[in-house]
Amino acid sequence: MNLVPTAILFLFAATFCAVWLAERRSWYLLHFAQAFLAFGLGMLVQTTRIPADFGLNTMLYGMLYVSGTLSFVTGVMVRSGRRPSRWFLTIWFAAVMGALGYFYYIDRNLIVRIHIVSFGLGGIIVSAAWIMRSLARGSATDRIIFWLVLVFGLHFFLRTLLTSELAAATSASGFLQSGFWTWVQFSASVFGVGMGLGLLLVIGLDVTARLRKERDTDPLTGALNRRGLQGRFQSLVAARHPLVLSVVACDIDHFKSINDAYGHAAGDAVLIVIAASIRSAVRSNDAVGRVGGEEFVILLKDTTAEQAFHFAERLRGEIARISFPRLPPDRTVTCSFGIAELRRGETLAHAIGRADQALYAAKNAGRNRTRTATTLVPARS
């Protein structure tokens, strides 16, 4: 029975390795595998008393527990787009191992060592949760992993405060028969399974979100494709009634001549730069999609046609001033814009159709200009 927690931890280490083999782009999975492996080895060292020397045994399992905890928080941070600094890792490792060595070799005290290990591991995890506290306001998946980490870290403090007195009258040789060690094994089993399953759930949600994003995103420009744009539109409509929204159609002027004169690689570069310019100009709750070879559609939430007109004019001027890679410095690229404000009950396809009509009017008027499908704003170049 003493080896059950160790077996559970090894099983999850192997599981994360297997998942990484199928999802190699997610390097943080190896950090999770290392964390479970180190925790399992630490419990194995303690349980089997190998090496037999108590001092070496103490320092070895302490090193494994601290290394496993640091691997765990590194994996969580890397998964969340962060990376712990070397100072963070070094200071925590040195502090816990230094204190553990002092209270074994200089001022031998079992109870203090119990608190050093438990509070040290909990401190590493809670401090990492503090660094990643912005996850608590992020997506549902981010919130799940934040609270998993925080609860996991706090349990080290709570478990030790509630049970450390069970080891107060225990010698080092009798530690593995103490009530405290029983609680350690129980919590390792429960939290090992809970954390392992929780992390696997987060990984599954991450993979699903990535596949959905790949499905809904244009691979060249990073803008939404038609399916992604439709999905974003449906989310906006479902979230707010009535919805004030303007649809802006943007088409690159004389794009075929760019491909013919400079090659498709140059044309692709133009598309990438213009898509990036549009995405940098919109707000986080707007949407940008590529719906044709050189046509983009922008959904501007809480924006009237008049406001969208001024937005398009600013964007049109910015694009005309861009120097594009693979094009001569004096080669100017311009865009034409058409705008339609969404009508009550109107579909996205119909609104885009009206914006396209305004776009064609801008093209017929000489290009590099903006037109609207309403009379709110007078047409001008």
Side-chain angles (χ1 to χ4, degrees), residues 171-365:
S171 63
S173 60
F175 178 75
L176 297 181
Q177 283 73 47
S178 68
F180 176 78
W181 181 247
T182 300
W183 277 106
V184 167
Q185 290 184 302
F186 175 77
S187 66
S189 300
V190 172
F191 279 90
V193 171
M195 181 56 66
L197 293 177
L199 291 175
L200 289 174
L201 171 63
V202 168
I203 292 166
L205 293 174
D206 284 344
V207 171
T208 301
R210 177 176 58 79
L211 292 176
R212 184 181 295 114
K213 182 178 181 180
E214 291 177 354
R215 180 198 66 187
D216 295 344
T217 302
D218 171 49
L220 177 64
T221 64
L224 297 172
N225 55 26
R226 284 185 177 272
R227 180 170 185 163
L229 196 66
Q230 180 65 39
R232 176 61 177 153
F233 174 78
Q234 291 174 343
S235 298
L236 291 172
V237 172
R240 186 167 181 177
H241 296 280
L243 175 67
V244 178
L245 181 143
S246 286
V247 177
V248 180
C250 168
D251 189 84
I252 303 174
D253 298 326
H254 303 294
F255 183 72
K256 185 177 183 300
S257 67
I258 295 175
N259 282 330
D260 292 342
Y262 307 106
H264 288 280
D268 288 347
V270 169
L271 289 169
I272 292 169
V273 171
I274 288 181
S277 299
I278 296 173
R279 290 203 305 273
S280 66
V282 301
R283 302 158 300 184
S284 60
N285 56 358
D286 298 326
V288 179
R290 182 186 175 199
V291 298
E294 66 270 21
E295 183 176 351
F296 297 89
V297 168
I298 309 165
L299 305 183
L300 298 176
K301 184 182 178 183
D302 298 326
T303 304
T304 64
E306 182 175 9
Q307 294 168 329
F309 180 90
H310 295 301
F311 164 84
E313 283 291 276
R314 288 194 302 272
L315 181 58
R316 182 175 66 85
E318 292 172 4
I319 292 173
R321 292 190 291 270
I322 295 175
S323 295
F324 289 86
R326 297 178 178 267
L327 297 185
D330 59 345
R331 180 62 161 89
T332 300
V333 177
T334 62
C335 292
S336 299
F337 293 84
I339 297 166
E341 185 173 333
L342 186 71
R343 295 169 177 168
R344 184 184 294 272
E346 188 176 30
T347 65
L348 177 60
H350 192 268
I352 291 176
R354 292 195 298 114
D356 277 339
Q357 290 177 354
L359 173 64
Y360 297 147
K363 293 279 191 181
N364 292 333

Side-chain angles (χ1 to χ4, degrees), residues 110-111 114-115 163-172 174-175 178-181:
L110 176 62
I111 299 301
I114 288 174
H115 285 79
T163 62
S164 60
E165 64 181 27
L166 297 175
T170 302
S171 63
F175 178 75
S178 68
F180 176 78
W181 181 247

Side-chain angles (χ1 to χ4, degrees), residues 8 32 119 214 291 367:
I8 291 173
F32 291 154
F119 287 6
E214 291 177 354
V291 298
R367 294 184 171 83

